[in-house]
C-alpha cells in the first residue's frame, strides 16, 4: 500500500471507529501480500481481527461491570471436594440453560463449602457467553434500596435491576432486616420472578428464613417465588478452609 492508501485507511477507520483496522492493517497487508491473497481476503482478515478484538473487549467489559469480588472460575473448583448434591447438579448448571429459561438457583449450606465460588464461576461463564451479570451482597443491595427509596429514585434502580440476565445475591442470611428492609428486598427480588435468573447463596435453610425477615407471611411468599422451578443445591458439608487447616496441621 502507498502512503495515500494508508492515510485513507486511517481516516476511514477513525470515522467508522475501527481501531484494529487502524493498528493492524499494515501487518495484515504484508501477510496477505506474502501469501498472494487477494484484496477481498485481506479485508476479511481485517474484519475477523476487528470482530475478535471487539468480542474480547465485550467480555472484559461485562466481567468488569459485574463487580465480582474476585475471579473464581469453575475450572478452579476442586469439584471432588464439593458436597455431593453440588457435584451431581453442577454439570447441568454449567450449561447455563437456567439463564435463558429464567430459572433461579439457591445454594444453601454451611460456610466454606463453595457456594460463592460456584455462583461467581457461573457468573463469569455467563459473562463470557454474552450475558449481562451483576454480583452483589444482600447487605449492599439492601443499602442501595434504602438510599434509592429515601431519594425517590427506587423505580430507576428497579428498572436497571430488571435488565440483568443474571443477578447473584451473596451472603443471604448474614444480616436480618427490619419491616421496611424486608418489604423492599421482597419487592425487588420479585421483579425478576419467572423472567430473569437470580442466584442466592445462603447459610440458612428455608425453615430459618423467617429469622431474617421476621414475618412468616412475607417469608413464605418470597421462598415460594424464589424457589418456583428453581435449582435447589444442598451445600452442607465440611468447609474447604477447615480441610486446608487440618492438612496443614497434620504435616
Amino acid at each position: 500500500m502507498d502512503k495515500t492508501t494508508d492515510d485513507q485507511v486511517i481516516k476511514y477507520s477513525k470515522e467508522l471507529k475501527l481501531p484494529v483496522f487502524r493498528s493492524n492493517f499494515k501487518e495484515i497487508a504484508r501477510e496477505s501480500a506474502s501469501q498472494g491473497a487477494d484484496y477481498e481476503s485481506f479485508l476479511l482478515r481485517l474484519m475477523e481481527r476487528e470482530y475478535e478484538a471487539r468480542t474480547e473487549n465485550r467480555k472484559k467489559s461485562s466481567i468488569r461491570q459485574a463487580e465480582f469480588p474476585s475471579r473464581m472460575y469453575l475450572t478452579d473448583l476442586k469439584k471432588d471436594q464439593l458436597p455431593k448434591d453440588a457435584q451431581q447438579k453442577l454439570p447441568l448448571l454449567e450449561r447455563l440453560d437456567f439463564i435463558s429459561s429464567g430459572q433461579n438457583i439457591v445454594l444453601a449450606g454451611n460456610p466454606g463449602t463453595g457456594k460463592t465460588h460456584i455462583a461467581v464461576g457461573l457468573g463469569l461463564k455467563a459473562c463470557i457467553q454474552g450475558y449481562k451479570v451483576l454480583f452483589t451482597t444482600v447487605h449492599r443491595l439492601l443499602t442501595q434500596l434504602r438510599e434509592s427509596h429515601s431519594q425517590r429514585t427506587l423505580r430507576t434502580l428497579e428498572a436497571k435491576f430488571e435488565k440483568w440476565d443474571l443477578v447473584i445475591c451473596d451472603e443471604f442470611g448474614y444480616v436480618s432486616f427490619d419491616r421496611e428492609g424486608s418489604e423492599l428486598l421482597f419487592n425487588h427480588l420479585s421483579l425478576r420472578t419467572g423472567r430473569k435468573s437470580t442466584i442466592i447463596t445462603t447459610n440458612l435453610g428455608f425453615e430459618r428464613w423467617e429469622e431474617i425477615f421476621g414475618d412468616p407471611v412475607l417469608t413464605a411468599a418470597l421462598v415460594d417465588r424464589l424457589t418456583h422451578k428453581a435449582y435447589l443445591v444442598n451445600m452442607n458439608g465440611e468447609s474447604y478452609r477447615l480441610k486446608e487447616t487440618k492438612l496443614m496441621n497434620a504435616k
Side-chain angles (χ1 to χ4, degrees):
M1 289 187 180
D2 56 30
K3 186 178 185 304
T4 302
T5 304
D6 288 355
D7 291 342
Q8 288 176 338
V9 171
I10 292 172
K11 175 185 175 183
Y12 292 133
S13 63
K14 285 182 178 178
E15 290 176 353
L16 298 173
K17 297 182 179 179
L18 301 172
V20 176
F21 266 56
R22 189 164 62 252
S23 60
N24 286 247
F25 77 92
K26 289 184 179 180
E27 173 194 343
I28 296 176
R30 285 193 295 269
E31 291 176 359
S32 298
S34 67
Q35 296 169 7
D38 56 23
Y39 188 67
E40 286 76 11
S41 298
F42 159 69
L43 281 180
L44 178 60
R45 290 185 187 182
L46 265 180
M47 291 293 290
E48 288 174 341
R49 190 74 66 88
E50 185 76 44
Y51 174 78
E52 290 168 1
R54 289 194 175 200
T55 300
E56 189 62 28
N57 289 337
R58 194 178 300 117
K59 291 176 184 177
K60 291 178 180 178
S61 177
S62 294
I63 291 173
R64 186 170 58 254
Q65 290 174 9
E67 300 183 352
F68 295 113
S70 59
R71 304 287 175 86
M72 296 183 282
Y73 292 92
L74 293 173
T75 52
D76 299 328
L77 270 172
K78 297 177 181 178
K79 296 181 181 179
D80 60 329
Q81 295 186 31
L82 291 172
K84 292 297 182 183
D85 196 38
Q87 291 184 38
Q88 293 171 0
K89 291 176 179 174
L90 189 56
L92 176 62
L93 300 180
E94 285 182 291
R95 291 163 49 184
L96 303 184
D97 292 339
F98 70 93
I99 299 178
S100 58
S101 58
Q103 293 174 275
N104 298 332
I105 298 174
V106 180
L107 299 156
N110 50 290
T113 54
K115 297 186 297 296
T116 299
H117 194 147
I118 290 175
V120 171
L122 291 171
L124 283 165
K125 187 170 184 178
C127 285
I128 291 169
Q129 292 193 12
Y131 290 106
K132 294 180 180 179
V133 181
L134 173 68
F135 178 95
T136 184
T137 63
V138 172
H139 175 69
R140 185 172 68 179
L141 177 60
L142 188 56
T143 299
Q144 291 175 328
L145 288 172
R146 290 186 189 279
E147 290 176 353
S148 297
H149 182 63
S150 63
Q151 296 169 8
R152 301 183 184 278
T153 58
L154 186 58
R155 185 55 202 146
T156 301
L157 180 65
E158 289 175 343
K160 185 177 180 180
F161 194 71
E162 288 180 87
K163 292 180 180 179
W164 298 106
D165 298 308
L166 173 64
V167 170
I168 300 169
C169 291
D170 197 32
E171 298 180 351
F172 197 93
Y174 285 87
V175 180
S176 58
F177 318 125
D178 57 18
R179 178 72 186 186
E180 181 189 59
S182 298
E183 291 178 351
L184 283 170
L185 192 62
F186 170 79
N187 292 331
H188 206 58
L189 292 177
S190 295
L191 294 170
R192 303 173 56 81
T193 301
R195 299 185 302 105
K196 296 294 182 69
S197 296
T198 303
I199 296 179
I200 299 287
T201 72
T202 178
N203 61 330
L204 298 179
F206 295 124
E207 71 282 355
R208 295 186 58 192
W209 279 25
E210 188 180 331
E211 297 174 17
I212 310 171
F213 287 95
D215 183 329
V217 176
L218 198 63
T219 303
L222 182 61
V223 170
D224 180 66
R225 295 190 183 192
L226 285 178
T227 61
H228 181 60
K229 296 183 179 180
Y231 292 97
L232 310 180
V233 186
N234 184 342
M235 294 296 295
N236 281 314
E238 189 174 6
S239 166
Y240 277 177
R241 292 184 287 274
L242 182 58
K243 289 178 183 178
E244 290 176 352
T245 301
K246 287 181 177 179
L247 286 173
M248 182 185 68
N249 291 326
K251 293 180 180 179

